[in-house]
Amino acid sequence: MNDPSIRHEIAHLARVELYTPNPDGTLWFFTELLGMYETHRAGQSVYLRGYEDPYQWSIKVTEAPRAGMGHAALRTSSAEALERRAASLKDSPLAGKWSDGDFGFGQTYEFASPDGHNLSLVWEVEKYQAPPELRSKILTRPSKRPLKGLPVKRIDHLNLMASDVTAVKETMERHLGFQTRERVVDGNVEIGAWMSTNLLGHEVACMRDTLGERGRFHHVAMYYGIPQHNIDAAEIFREYDIEIEAGPDKHGITQGSFLYVFEPGGNRIELFADAGILQFEPDYETRTWQMADIDTGLAIGGAHLPWETYFTYGTPSKRTLEEHKAEFATAGPPPPPTH
Ligand SMILES: [Fe+2]
């Protein structure tokens, strides 16, 4: 249930940790092609930020046996809001635990979605302070635009796959104050939900895992803000052998301009080329897409979102991306989910 009384308790998506079996390749992708700054290293992890990310990092790349999402963290709007949201979760079957935090972030409440995604809430942050050589002349910009690749500005949104979209959606609404802006239904089954607590059309999305697996990661989106950048980025990805899955095109759902690629570790990354629809109405009512209109919802320009990857591949995956595609080619579409 959308609950406006807690709508602004969550401020925004602050960070995502990605697991990668190919840390050198993943780091090359984020730093050389997407122009992200490295701010810290610890253990098997490297911390990265876009030039307009406000904190010490927005993406953490951690070496691991398989690709996937380590966790995603949302920043609350105050210390009190963090306490209230943690208390709400503590009184539910999703109760988590407090941790001391990570580099650049303070005390954190960690919990899992009903599907098993690792999520966190945090208030205390260390704002990024650029050294003199990286200080921007533009006062709203925390650091200079780098001269590397086609640099992304900041993290934008997160998309999760789930065996049960409704359960994840209701958790985000009930405990964290998210409003579901758009959803897709197939008959009586909710197969997608796009949710936000602020002006952005969505900051967290959830789509049905058509293989029926639980707790997988679909993509994290990095923000350009200029549609031409997605066309330029596609050229760079083509030249440097980064696999493009779909785009550039524009979704009907969220009105976001997209380009989906696979980073060398196997995670799907979206380049988000404009903000999509912004939402100012306090009493906005959720829009529901039916399958009859899904072509418009998926891609206004008609780009093909491949069934063999976009709707079936998430991380972690039992198979590498190549194995997944090969299996799909020989075995055909997977059986429908059993739940
Ligand atoms: Fe997205």
Side-chain angles (χ1 to χ4, degrees):
M1 180 189 89
N2 292 311
D3 181 355
S5 71
I6 57 171
R7 174 71 37 80
H8 302 296
E9 297 262 279
I10 300 297
H12 69 122
L13 174 68
R15 66 187 206 210
V16 168
E17 179 184 23
L18 293 176
Y19 290 150
T20 174
N22 179 4
D24 291 343
T26 300
L27 278 177
W28 170 80
F29 171 82
F30 279 109
T31 59
E32 300 303 312
L33 303 189
L34 301 192
M36 293 184 75
Y37 289 114
E38 177 181 329
T39 54
H40 187 63
R41 282 184 184 231
Q44 299 305 105
S45 298
V46 180
Y47 298 75
L48 307 170
R49 56 177 291 282
Y51 67 98
E52 287 192 355
D53 273 316
Y55 313 136
Q56 288 286 356
W57 57 279
S58 62
I59 296 288
K60 176 180 175 181
V61 171
T62 297
E63 183 174 7
R66 288 195 296 173
M69 182 184 84
H71 77 276
L74 300 159
R75 191 177 182 213
T76 62
S77 55
S78 66
E80 295 75 22
L82 174 58
E83 294 292 335
R84 287 191 291 267
R85 293 309 100 219
S88 175
L89 287 159
K90 268 186 176 166
D91 290 337
S92 81
L94 302 174
K97 63 177 174 46
W98 290 100
S99 79
D100 291 339
D102 201 339
F103 168 66
F105 290 86
Q107 196 188 32
T108 302
Y109 190 75
E110 302 173 350
F111 66 103
S113 81
D115 226 67
H117 309 98
N118 292 326
L119 302 174
S120 300
L121 303 178
V122 65
W123 160 247
E124 292 172 4
V125 296
E126 189 181 321
K127 303 282 181 76
Y128 179 74
Q129 297 293 334
E133 67 276 16
L134 293 182
R135 216 163 278 161
S136 174
K137 293 177 180 173
I138 300 168
L139 295 186
T140 50
R141 185 170 281 177
S143 49
K144 272 183 186 166
R145 177 179 164 135
L147 298 171
K148 245 186 194 181
L150 189 62
V152 293
K153 286 174 182 265
R154 57 166 173 78
I155 194 169
D156 190 87
H157 66 262
L158 171 70
N159 189 311
L160 304 170
M161 297 172 90
S163 61
D164 183 346
V165 168
T166 302
V168 173
K169 183 198 79 167
E170 288 182 349
T171 294
M172 304 301 285
E173 290 177 344
R174 185 170 302 156
H175 297 292
L176 304 181
F178 276 79
Q179 183 184 44
T180 299
R181 300 279 164 77
E182 297 176 69
R183 62 189 198 119
V184 178
V185 296
D186 185 359
N188 293 322
V189 181
E190 215 161 29
I191 60 170
W194 286 260
M195 299 163 278
S196 182
T197 60
N198 56 35
L199 292 178
L200 295 181
H202 76 304
E203 282 211 302
V204 178
C206 184
M207 301 195 305
R208 190 180 203 202
D209 194 319
T210 56
L211 300 189
E213 294 189 26
R214 301 182 74 249
R216 296 204 293 172
F217 166 77
H218 195 267
H219 65 264
V220 62
M222 305 305 294
Y223 181 73
Y224 276 133
I226 300 171
Q228 177 65 39
H229 281 9
N230 268 9
I231 296 169
D232 295 339
E235 291 189 10
I236 292 175
F237 296 139
R238 181 71 64 178
E239 298 274 24
Y240 289 89
D241 294 323
I242 293 296
E243 182 174 340
I244 295 172
E245 183 184 39
D249 202 336
K250 185 180 176 87
H251 292 301
I253 300 164
T254 76
Q255 295 192 38
S257 293
F258 65 85
L259 172 62
Y260 294 99
V261 300
F262 295 104
E263 55 87 11
N267 293 297
R268 180 186 291 100
I269 307 295
E270 180 182 7
L271 287 310
F272 206 55
D274 61 30
I277 185 73
L278 300 179
Q279 197 44 256
F280 300 91
E281 295 172 59
D283 52 356
Y284 178 82
E285 292 178 16
T286 305
R287 305 299 200 260
T288 299
W289 293 82
Q290 306 290 333
M291 292 306 284
D293 301 315
I294 201 65
D295 285 353
T296 307
L298 293 177
I300 294 169
H304 177 57
L305 299 177
W307 176 259
E308 60 269 30
T309 53
Y310 192 82
F311 296 103
T312 55
Y313 177 81
T315 51
S317 170
K318 291 172 183 149
R319 308 155 201 86
T320 66
L321 177 60
E322 293 313 312
E323 289 166 350
H324 178 95
K325 287 191 292 189
E327 185 165 311
F328 190 95
T330 53
T338 53
H339 53 87

